[in-house]
Amino acid sequence: MVLAQAAEWTSPYVDYHALAPEIILGAVVCIVLVVDLFLDERNRWATSTIAGLGLLISLVPIVTLAVDGADRVMFDGAYVVDNFALVLKALFLLTGYVVVLLSTTYVEEGDYYQGEYYFLLLSSVLGMVMMSSSRDLVSIFVALELLSIPAYMLAAWRKRDTKSNEAGMKYFLLGVFASAVMLYGMSLLYGVSGSTLLTSINEALEENAPVTTLAIVFVLAGFAFKVSAVPFHTWAPDTYEGAPTPITAFLSVGSKAAGFVALLSLLYIGLANGKDVWEPMFFVLSLLTMTIGNVLALRQHNIVRMLAYSSISQGGFILMPLAVIGSNAQAQEESLQAVVTYLVVYAAMQLGAFAVVLAVARKTRSGEISSYGGLFGYAPGLAVAMTIFLASLAGIPPLAGWVAKLGVFRAVLAEGGWFGGILAVAGAVNSVVALAYYARVMREMWMEEAPDGDTSPISVPQPLVAALGLTVVATVAIGVVPQIVLRYGDLGTFSFGG
């Protein structure tokens, strides 16, 4: 009997070409950890070089897979590599590369342990890359914990700084609680469907029941924490302020985007038949997140905390299309395209803003908005770059932000109904409110005097210059030629929807 069962067993299908980005990135993680053991203090810069090159090399199989164009399904549908996954994998790898550029000088000058830093950063990026292809509850949860656990440690990386310790502890405790809530919801979904595959779960949801509603609410509440949606946002401002600035940029872009990717997989594949439960939930979350995030951002005097609340508000805009996905395929595709496009645009402008924050802090040693006074007088390049990023975050044409905001407004209005109308009005009002605190920083840079009368120029390291160049070009180019990013949004939508 045992021999007969063994004869029937076959090993799972593994497509090594499809898994090449993960395999390469996993190898780079190991190389960084081993190489660091043999480097002395003078040569620790090599770990950042290896990390950056590894991320770029991991992009190569993504290009070859995109050229091939075939969807690849492994592990009985639990892991899928399609156009949607490829677009998001590329986004995460490029985000990781820019964060490495932001980190290089910061870590070298801060007397931090570099090898472990890049080991944890790359491990978190690997979790994000895996998240893009995960199509069942187990792989989603494993990917989520792989990206989250290193992030908890990175948030507390400045070990002798009490704010950093507080940031890491708050992020860890609240993150573990959110994961427990989400895992309980996943266990209920498994109990209802008898499967962890998202497609099987969706079929089981056709017969709605109270336990199904409870499961959906618990799972989505857990992911609402990951994307810092109100009222699950309380960890974000303190964590962002206390964490090392490159990690703050990483959390506000990479971690948030990974949470939205998991949400998209769940909503469009696993919980599509539970729309009656989660659409009203996202309607409330979107309104609260964009409004409260903006109101609290108005009160901030520290630019990192301002960008933290701005990030919360931006998450509210990304949630807008999820509240009115609609029943027809075209509306669903428009909603998904709007979210993917917003994630790509948001990554460029948010990473760029933090690159300027890092550059300015090298001279001012302050995070106060008042420390940006007179920036145009002694660092005109940084002032212009920051103006571009802030104007883009506000949605001012012809920068990338207007393309992202136009997409979400089109998505919520296309379906119609009072849900869409209310969200559109709220989004328009919040866009105006956001301009107020972005303009406050612009006024300091362009119209005020330097606070200490010190107008000596700022020395910007080459890695920061490269990060600024990449993000400025992306922010301007996407705004002027929106087809650049809309094409990727289309790829993600149509492949994913199919």
Side-chain angles (χ1 to χ4, degrees), residues 342-388:
Y342 209 117
L343 290 176
V344 174
V345 170
Y346 171 73
M349 52 193 184
Q350 185 79 350
L351 288 173
F354 276 106
V356 176
V357 170
L358 274 168
V360 174
R362 289 174 58 81
K363 175 184 176 180
T364 64
R365 303 297 175 186
S366 172
E368 295 299 308
I369 293 174
S370 59
S371 68
Y372 284 71
L375 184 65
F376 180 72
Y378 60 87
L382 291 176
V384 170
M386 191 60 156
T387 301
I388 289 172

Side-chain angles (χ1 to χ4, degrees), residues 7 67 111 147 241 267 295 313 423 428 437 474:
V67 171
D111 191 27
L147 73 90
E241 184 181 11
L267 299 182
V295 170
S313 177
L423 285 175
Y437 56 82

Side-chain angles (χ1 to χ4, degrees), residues 86-299:
L86 294 177
V87 169
L88 273 304
K89 286 175 194 285
L91 172 63
F92 291 134
L93 291 172
L94 289 173
T95 296
Y97 179 70
V98 173
V99 173
V100 168
L101 293 177
L102 300 182
S103 302
T104 300
T105 307
Y106 183 92
V107 174
E108 287 177 6
E109 296 177 351
D111 191 27
Y112 302 117
Y113 298 100
Q114 295 183 50
E116 292 91 337
Y117 179 93
Y118 292 108
F119 168 79
L120 292 172
L121 179 62
L122 291 176
S123 297
S124 190
V125 174
L126 178 58
M128 296 174 186
V129 171
M130 291 174 58
M131 182 70 79
S132 305
S133 291
S134 299
R135 298 293 187 271
D136 89 331
L137 297 181
V138 174
S139 57
I140 286 175
F141 187 76
V142 170
L144 184 66
E145 293 307 297
L146 179 57
L147 73 90
S148 296
I149 293 173
Y152 300 149
M153 291 182 277
L154 288 170
W157 200 249
R158 297 188 302 199
K159 299 176 180 66
R160 292 175 291 275
D161 187 336
T162 55
K163 280 191 174 182
S164 185
N165 296 336
E166 180 186 358
M169 186 58 68
K170 283 184 177 179
Y171 190 25
F172 169 70
L173 292 176
L174 293 175
V176 169
F177 176 74
S179 294
V181 170
M182 179 178 57
L183 193 58
Y184 180 66
M186 287 182 172
S187 68
L188 292 178
L189 288 177
Y190 175 72
V192 169
S193 63
S195 173
T196 59
L197 281 176
L198 297 185
T199 51
S200 299
I201 291 172
N202 189 49
E203 293 172 1
L205 293 185
E206 291 180 356
E207 296 182 6
N208 205 347
V211 67
T212 301
T213 301
L214 184 65
I216 293 173
V217 170
F218 272 50
V219 170
L220 297 186
F223 280 107
F225 169 87
K226 299 300 180 183
V227 302
S228 58
V230 175
F232 309 98
H233 70 292
T234 52
W235 63 274
D238 290 338
T239 299
Y240 286 11
E241 184 181 11
T245 307
I247 298 306
T248 300
F250 181 65
L251 294 177
S252 69
V253 174
S255 181
K256 184 185 289 287
F260 275 110
V261 169
L263 272 178
L264 292 175
S265 298
L266 282 166
L267 299 182
Y268 279 81
I269 299 178
L271 305 177
N273 289 326
K275 252 187 331 185
D276 292 342
V277 177
W278 52 258
E279 277 193 338
M281 185 176 176
F282 281 122
F283 173 77
V284 175
L285 286 176
S286 178
L287 280 177
L288 289 176
T289 302
M290 73 172 81
T291 304
I292 293 178
N294 270 335
V295 170
L296 293 177
L298 285 169
R299 303 170 54 189

Side-chain angles (χ1 to χ4, degrees), residues 15-92:
D15 187 331
Y16 290 101
H17 185 195
L19 291 175
E22 290 88 334
I23 293 171
I24 294 172
L25 194 53
V28 174
V29 170
C30 297
I31 291 171
V32 166
L33 187 62
V34 173
V35 167
D36 179 65
L37 299 175
F38 299 95
L39 293 178
D40 56 27
E41 293 296 331
R42 294 171 299 176
N43 297 315
R44 289 290 174 89
W45 57 267
T47 54
S48 65
T49 303
I50 295 171
L53 288 175
L55 289 164
L56 293 179
I57 293 171
S58 299
L59 284 168
V60 174
I62 290 179
V63 174
T64 59
L65 287 165
V67 171
D68 179 81
D71 294 348
R72 298 161 187 264
V73 181
M74 291 169 281
F75 312 117
D76 294 327
Y79 207 79
V80 177
V81 178
D82 54 11
N83 285 334
F84 172 83
L86 294 177
V87 169
L88 273 304
K89 286 175 194 285
L91 172 63
F92 291 134

Side-chain angles (χ1 to χ4, degrees), residues 391-413:
S392 182
L393 284 165
I396 297 176
L399 300 172
W402 83 271
V403 177
K405 282 189 166 57
L406 179 63
V408 298
F409 280 115
R410 285 181 58 189
V412 297
L413 292 174

